[in-house]
């Protein structure tokens, strides 16, 4: 399910591109670093910009079937290690 959802979200600028999946394995583009390691080095303004981008990526997941549709995906384990710094 995760891979199928990610594939549908690939065009979103704040969601990693999926290049392939099989069974429980997913091949995505490589994030350059995890956000948890970068946050302490960011200015307050950059932290705010990062929070905005993270919220947009979560919103994209919740709106996978469209804004007027009920939320199709729910997650209970969102934490900073789920996010990567990309291009």
């Amino acid at each position: 399910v995760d891979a199928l959802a990610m594939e549908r979200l690939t065009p979103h600028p704040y969601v990693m591109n999926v290049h392939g999946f099989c069974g429980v394995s997913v091949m995505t583009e490589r994030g350059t670093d995890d956000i948890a390691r970068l946050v302490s080095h960011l200015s307050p303004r950059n932290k705010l910009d990062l929070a905005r981008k993270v919220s947009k990526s979560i919103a994209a997941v919740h709106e996978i079937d469209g804004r007027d549709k009920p939320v199709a995906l729910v997650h209970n384990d969102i934490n900073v290690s789920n996010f990567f710094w990309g291009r």
Side-chain angles (χ1 to χ4, degrees):
V1 173
D2 290 347
L4 294 172
M6 289 175 68
E7 181 181 44
R8 289 177 58 194
L9 291 166
T10 288
H12 194 278
Y14 301 125
V15 177
M16 288 181 131
N17 291 328
V18 172
H19 300 293
F21 55 90
C22 178
V24 295
S25 299
V26 178
M27 184 185 341
T28 66
E29 67 181 310
R30 183 179 184 277
T32 57
D33 209 346
D34 78 66
I35 291 177
R37 292 178 18 175
L38 297 173
V39 169
S40 63
H41 304 291
L42 296 176
S43 70
R45 183 179 300 269
N46 287 341
K47 287 179 184 178
L48 184 60
D49 185 53
L50 179 61
R52 185 180 57 80
K53 290 175 181 176
V54 166
S55 66
K56 285 184 176 187
S57 69
I58 294 170
V61 171
H62 287 179
E63 296 170 353
I64 193 168
D65 290 324
R67 289 182 180 222
D68 299 332
K69 305 277 183 166
V71 174
L73 295 174
V74 178
H75 30 216
N76 62 359
D77 64 344
I78 295 175
N79 62 66
V80 72
S81 66
N82 296 133
F83 299 93
F84 292 89
W85 194 265
R87 307 174 243 137

